[in-house]
């Protein structure tokens, strides 16, 4: 799916610049799974999971927590970094606590770290064979460059 966003900058009440950007959506609104998730993404995923398991709507939880529906949606999608007060209000609205949320986030991140340690994903370029290095950077003889230190 491709989305196009147009933004207009307004200076002194007069629109003067329009910027259009096009983005192609991937299967996940978050970053690649190969990249460690941000804490806000983990918190959002956990909050959304708890809310959906309870069969509650975004509107219901947002109203009970005292935040806007749009903001809670962005928190659940990992797009906003909520304050500790907002996290507390959302957790209480869900009948949980920040302690439970932080504990669950800790367990998820620890599990991801242990799995990534078991499956190395860093390419060690220092272990290249000498012939591979020559193919990657071929040396072509050429005339020596004359260097002058005098000012022109």
């Amino acid at each position: 799916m491709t989305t196009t966003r147009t933004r207009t900058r307004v200076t002194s009440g007069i629109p003067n610049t329009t910027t259009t950007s096009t983005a192609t959506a991937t299967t996940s609104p978050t970053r690649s799974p190969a990249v460690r998730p941000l804490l806000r993404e983990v918190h959002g995923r956990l909050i959304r999971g708890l809310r959906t398991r309870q069969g509650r709507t975004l509107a219901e939880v947002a109203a009970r927590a005292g935040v806007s529906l749009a903001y809670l949606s962005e928190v659940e999608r990992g797009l906003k970094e909520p304050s500790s007060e907002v996290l507390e209000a959302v957790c209480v609205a869900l009948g949980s606590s920040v302690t439970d949320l932080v504990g669950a986030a800790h367990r998820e991140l620890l599990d991801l770290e242990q799995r990534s340690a078991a499956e190395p994903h860093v390419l060690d370029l220092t272990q290249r064979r000498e012939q591979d290095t020559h193919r990657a950077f071929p040396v072509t003889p050429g005339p020596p460059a004359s260097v002058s230190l005098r000012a022109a």
Side-chain angles (χ1 to χ4, degrees):
M1 175 174 75
T2 301
T3 58
T4 302
R5 295 184 183 136
T6 303
R7 294 184 181 180
T8 303
R9 190 176 356 167
V10 177
T11 307
S12 303
I14 302 170
N16 61 1
T17 305
T18 301
T19 305
T20 303
S21 64
T22 303
T24 303
T26 59
T27 57
S28 172
T30 58
R31 300 174 314 140
S32 166
V35 176
R36 290 185 182 177
L38 298 174
L39 187 57
R40 70 175 186 237
E41 294 170 339
V42 174
H43 284 163
R45 189 170 36 252
L46 292 169
I47 290 168
R48 176 171 279 177
L50 179 58
R51 179 183 61 78
T52 56
R53 281 192 305 278
Q54 292 178 357
R56 299 176 62 191
T57 65
L58 264 172
E60 177 187 351
V61 174
R64 184 140 188 209
V67 297
S68 74
L69 183 138
Y71 185 74
L72 182 57
S73 174
E74 289 179 323
V75 167
E76 284 190 355
R77 290 181 286 144
L79 302 176
K80 293 289 184 183
E81 186 84 51
S83 67
S84 58
E85 291 87 358
V86 169
L87 284 176
E88 175 69 25
V90 171
C91 288
V92 167
L94 291 168
S96 187
S97 70
V98 170
T99 306
D100 293 337
L101 176 67
V102 171
H106 172 77
R107 287 187 298 277
E108 184 174 320
L109 290 170
L110 187 60
D111 184 48
L112 285 171
E113 188 175 303
Q114 289 171 345
R115 275 192 273 143
S116 69
E119 300 172 7
H121 58 276
V122 176
L123 178 61
D124 185 2
L125 297 177
T126 62
Q127 298 299 317
R128 281 191 158 172
R129 295 184 316 218
E130 187 174 327
Q131 72 185 87
D132 290 341
T133 304
H134 291 301
R135 257 188 275 136
F137 301 99
V139 177
T140 55
S146 61
V147 178
S148 173
L149 298 177
R150 293 187 205 173

